[in-house]
Amino acid sequence: MSLITPDFGLFFWMTVVFLVVLFILWKYGFPVIVKMVDERKAFIDESLKKAHEANERLANIQKEGESILQEAREKQAQILREAAETRDAIVEKAQDKARSEGARLLDEAKAAIEQEKKAAIADIRQQVATLSVEIAEKVLKQNLKDDKSQMDLIDRMLDEVSVK
């Protein structure tokens, strides 16, 4: 007996055992293995499909998020523009009010000054008139003591009136 070449009996029984094991595997083992492989393939395919759908949803959510973010930025810019416009309007209104109030106060001050000026001028005129009358009275009393000086004064006044 040689180790390299088996004899016919060993070869026969090895073939029979191989065929029995092959039949058992063919009948009971391979269908279970094929079923498990098919289930695993279906599970993997379903997982890939779900992953693809999840990626699509994630992409959609990212697009929606970006659009919402862009919209929020636009609203923020609009609100800031409106706030700036409102601020400018309020400042302009306050400046206009301050200008009008300043002009009103200035006009009132001018009117008060003009009134005081007129009152002062009237008072000065009255004082000047009073002083003039008093001075004229004193001068006339002194100069017109006699009839001759009265006649000279009347003549001078008539000459001055006729010259004008």
Side-chain angles (χ1 to χ4, degrees), residues 1-163:
M1 278 213 261
S2 168
L3 290 175
I4 296 177
T5 55
D7 63 352
F8 181 72
L10 180 63
F11 185 71
F12 174 75
W13 287 113
M14 280 178 63
T15 304
V16 170
V17 169
F18 176 76
L19 289 175
V20 169
V21 169
L22 183 65
F23 175 75
I24 291 172
L25 284 175
W26 194 271
K27 185 74 174 167
Y28 300 106
F30 288 143
V32 172
I33 292 171
V34 169
K35 181 181 174 191
M36 284 182 9
V37 169
D38 287 342
E39 287 175 358
R40 181 72 176 156
K41 182 181 178 280
F43 177 75
I44 290 172
D45 288 342
E46 185 66 28
S47 295
L48 287 174
K49 182 180 174 185
K50 287 181 181 178
H52 183 66
E53 289 174 1
N55 281 338
E56 286 178 358
R57 276 191 256 143
L58 180 61
N60 289 338
I61 290 172
Q62 285 177 339
K63 286 180 184 177
E64 288 176 12
E66 289 173 4
S67 67
I68 290 172
L69 187 59
Q70 182 63 28
E71 187 178 323
R73 286 183 185 139
E74 290 172 1
K75 283 186 180 180
Q76 178 187 17
Q78 180 183 1
I79 289 171
L80 289 174
R81 277 192 305 271
E82 289 175 358
E85 290 171 0
T86 304
R87 179 199 67 218
D88 293 342
I90 290 171
V91 167
E92 185 66 30
K93 188 183 286 184
Q95 287 175 345
D96 289 343
K97 187 175 180 181
R99 282 187 202 111
S100 64
E101 184 68 19
R104 184 187 64 80
L105 290 174
L106 186 61
D107 290 342
E108 287 178 2
K110 284 180 181 179
I113 289 170
E114 188 64 31
Q115 230 176 5
E116 288 180 21
K117 179 180 168 186
K118 287 179 181 179
I121 289 173
D123 188 40
I124 289 172
R125 282 183 180 171
Q126 184 178 358
Q127 288 177 6
V128 167
T130 305
L131 284 175
S132 296
V133 168
E134 287 177 4
I135 290 171
E137 184 180 326
K138 286 180 183 176
V139 167
L140 287 176
K141 278 184 185 179
Q142 191 176 22
N143 286 338
L144 301 178
K145 289 183 183 174
D146 59 354
D147 289 335
K148 183 180 189 257
S149 60
Q150 287 177 5
M151 287 307 286
D152 287 341
L153 178 65
I154 292 172
D155 287 337
R156 269 191 316 220
M157 288 179 131
L158 286 174
D159 288 339
E160 285 178 14
V161 170
S162 61
V163 172

